Amino acid sequence: MPNTEKPLPLPSIRRLPTYLQVLRTLKAQGRDIVSCTHIAQDLDISSIQVRKDLALTGITGKPKVGYAITDLIAAIENFLGWDNHSDAFLVGVGSLGRALLRYDGFVGQGLNIVAAFDSDPAKVGQSVAGKEIYALDRLPDLSARLHVKIGILTVPATAANDAVYALVMAGMRAIWNFTPAKLEVPTPVVVEDVRLHASLAVLTNRLSEMLKRERQADAQAV
Amino acid sequence: MPNTEKPLPLPSIRRLPTYLQVLRTLKAQGRDIVSCTHIAQDLDISSIQVRKDLALTGITGKPKVGYAITDLIAAIENFLGWDNHSDAFLVGVGSLGRALLRYDGFVGQGLNIVAAFDSDPAKVGQSVAGKEIYALDRLPDLSARLHVKIGILTVPATAANDAVYALVMAGMRAIWNFTPAKLEVPTPVVVEDVRLHASLAVLTNRLSEMLKRERQADAQAV
DNA sequence: TAGATTGTTAATCGATTAACAATC
DNA sequence: TAGATTGTTAATCGATTAACAATC
């Protein structure tokens, strides 16, 4: 069998949720049709990029007219797997874990946290934002019952790989990793790292470069 | 004056904190010297990429020997602006704001949150993780006194641009944006967006593609 | 019809990877 | 010295941007 898998352009996938946000706003305003140009202007990016990104989802528009907003929303949601409710478990109910459990911005955004797990017996039995906290050994049985495939990792970095092992053994196929640890998983498991330090690095480097330039300009002006 | 600014490769900057993590671990183990090959193997990436990335910081190694770990750490920290303590204000003490205030993983990572602000009078005067919560109108005076340049934005999306305006007016030059809102700032202010939905999109899309492929393979096997 | 917008093919740009000379 | 590693220059790869034909 030939390898027909074309690698998907990650930058494009990352932009799709932003389009979804715009489209939902437009729909709420009662609009039915939208052009790439419109979306592009709204987000201050190029219309060609928007068109290429949207084409990924398989949807087609009508020349001179544009795209049907409802169809476009459905196509993006389907492409991202956000249409069939994406239930998730969260492991590690520290401050970040609590924040994610309480965050309501993921509703209708492909993520629905159904239960939390923690190794601390003092936390087990409590609940946060209506989601109960279980002991880690309940993972296999709850996972089997609820058919959950996504695990959110918010444990301390040192506990990361143990927790991942438990998640994968319990049948998780995707891990959203909020720890700075490099995870070791068997190949048929998807890992996405949320690298806050990487983002911070870009911020501070650019700030520092900007301040340096200004100091140089000041020195030259004297 | 000719434009001598070379655009900095963002992917490289994003990888630097990971190198820093490895280097600090090695230093704690008492090592003095390290080669690109060693770092690369540790992180499961190519040694050429490591060498190119490190070169950005201006440091040079010795052929056959490698890099002095202490120098390398200093060079990366300097390049990222993580050496002179990067004090920051946090605006919006909701669940995410609280989590960041409590998170200790940014210590020695270029970020030191010195105070928090919130528009809710009930929160003003309280403190989280030893950091006091102030009313928003205290921003200008505290900013002037503490010489803070970085603002962390964890307000609801609807309040984002008002908060940004207050931050910029108070002298912030860099905004770390945790809201999904598109910020409007004057040009000499750096904005870095933490796009959780983008990360989630990659995770769910890849999971959904993987499950689809498996279903196809199953169907073919029958 | 005329003009605007899509969809596709080609060109450009930047980042990654490869090749290799320099050197401790 | 020999071999390993750096640093640099060239080749490849992928993403963005540009150009343009198709079409409602």
Side-chain angles (χ1 to χ4, degrees):
Chain A
M1 191 171 66
N3 185 4
T4 50
E5 297 166 32
K6 32 171 203 246
L8 295 168
L10 291 190
S12 297
I13 296 174
R14 283 188 225 280
R15 282 188 293 267
L16 290 176
T18 319
Y19 301 152
L20 207 46
Q21 195 186 2
V22 172
L23 292 167
R24 283 174 175 163
T25 306
L26 290 171
K27 193 184 177 179
Q29 287 167 5
R31 304 279 309 263
D32 290 327
I33 301 286
V34 69
S35 74
C36 286
T37 324
H38 187 127
I39 298 174
Q41 282 175 350
D42 216 76
L43 296 168
D44 205 21
I45 57 179
S46 100
S47 68
I48 301 153
Q49 189 166 63
V50 175
R51 203 147 64 241
K52 266 269 170 68
D53 290 345
L54 296 182
L56 265 188
T57 67
I59 197 121
T60 57
K62 283 184 194 162
K64 154 96 179 149
V65 180
Y67 300 85
I69 291 178
T70 308
D71 293 355
L72 204 40
I73 290 175
I76 296 177
E77 286 179 344
N78 175 58
F79 182 77
L80 295 178
W82 288 10
D83 40 0
N84 37 7
H85 263 235
S86 307
D87 290 344
F89 285 156
L90 181 144
V91 179
V93 190
S95 62
L96 182 58
R98 275 211 163 72
L100 292 179
L101 286 169
R102 289 201 187 106
Y103 184 55
D104 59 358
F106 292 129
V107 177
Q109 307 279 149
L111 195 73
N112 179 30
I113 306 178
V114 294
F117 296 83
D118 202 290
S119 61
D120 181 355
K123 289 176 184 165
V124 172
Q126 295 183 353
S127 65
V128 175
K131 286 127 188 176
E132 195 164 347
I133 305 174
Y134 297 95
L136 275 165
D137 57 20
R138 296 292 308 281
L139 261 174
D141 107 72
L142 283 166
S143 144
R145 267 197 354 234
L146 302 170
H147 302 289
V148 171
K149 294 274 169 274
I150 299 175
I152 304 173
L153 197 65
T154 49
V155 298
T158 47
N161 270 304
D162 285 348
V164 165
Y165 183 79
L167 283 166
V168 172
M169 283 299 108
M172 299 300 114
R173 304 300 305 279
I175 310 277
W176 204 16
N177 177 29
F178 283 81
T179 81
K182 181 172 154 43
L183 303 188
E184 285 151 29
V185 292
T187 35
V189 174
V190 171
V191 173
E192 170 70 14
D193 299 314
V194 177
R195 307 198 305 139
L196 286 184
H197 293 295
S199 174
L200 182 60
V202 172
L203 183 83
T204 54
N205 171 72
R206 287 167 67 192
L207 173 61
S208 140
E209 292 287 324
M210 185 174 72
L211 296 177
K212 200 203 297 172
R213 276 199 303 274
E214 289 179 3
R215 278 194 302 273
Q216 284 168 357
D218 283 354
Q220 208 154 43
V222 171
Chain B
M1 191 171 66
N3 185 2
T4 50
E5 295 165 33
K6 32 168 204 252
L8 295 168
L10 292 190
S12 297
I13 297 174
R14 283 187 226 279
R15 283 187 293 267
L16 291 175
T18 319
Y19 301 151
L20 206 46
Q21 194 186 2
V22 171
L23 292 168
R24 283 174 175 162
T25 305
L26 290 170
K27 193 184 177 179
Q29 288 167 4
R31 302 280 309 264
D32 291 326
I33 301 286
V34 70
S35 73
C36 287
T37 325
H38 186 126
I39 298 174
Q41 282 175 351
D42 217 76
L43 295 169
D44 205 21
I45 57 178
S46 101
S47 67
I48 302 154
Q49 188 166 64
V50 176
R51 203 147 65 242
K52 265 267 169 71
D53 290 344
L54 296 182
L56 265 188
T57 68
I59 197 119
T60 57
K62 285 184 191 160
K64 153 97 177 148
V65 180
Y67 301 85
I69 291 177
T70 308
D71 294 355
L72 204 40
I73 290 174
I76 295 176
E77 286 180 344
N78 175 59
F79 182 76
L80 294 179
W82 288 9
D83 41 0
N84 38 7
H85 261 235
S86 307
D87 290 345
F89 286 157
L90 181 144
V91 179
V93 190
S95 62
L96 182 58
R98 277 210 160 74
L100 293 180
L101 286 169
R102 290 201 186 106
Y103 184 55
D104 58 358
F106 292 130
V107 178
Q109 307 277 150
L111 196 73
N112 179 31
I113 306 177
V114 294
F117 297 83
D118 202 290
S119 61
D120 181 357
K123 288 176 184 166
V124 173
Q126 296 183 353
S127 65
V128 175
K131 287 126 188 175
E132 195 164 347
I133 304 174
Y134 298 96
L136 275 165
D137 57 21
R138 296 293 307 282
L139 259 174
D141 107 72
L142 284 165
S143 146
R145 262 189 11 223
L146 301 170
H147 302 288
V148 171
K149 294 274 169 276
I150 300 175
I152 305 173
L153 197 67
T154 49
V155 299
T158 47
N161 271 303
D162 285 347
V164 165
Y165 183 78
L167 282 166
V168 171
M169 284 298 109
M172 299 299 115
R173 305 300 306 279
I175 309 277
W176 203 17
N177 176 29
F178 282 81
T179 81
K182 182 172 155 41
L183 303 188
E184 285 151 30
V185 293
T187 35
V189 173
V190 172
V191 172
E192 170 70 13
D193 299 313
V194 177
R195 307 198 304 140
L196 285 185
H197 294 295
S199 173
L200 182 60
V202 173
L203 183 83
T204 53
N205 171 71
R206 287 166 69 194
L207 173 62
S208 140
E209 290 289 322
M210 185 173 71
L211 296 177
K212 200 204 295 173
R213 276 200 303 276
E214 290 179 3
R215 277 194 303 273
Q216 284 168 355
D218 282 354
Q220 208 153 44
V222 170

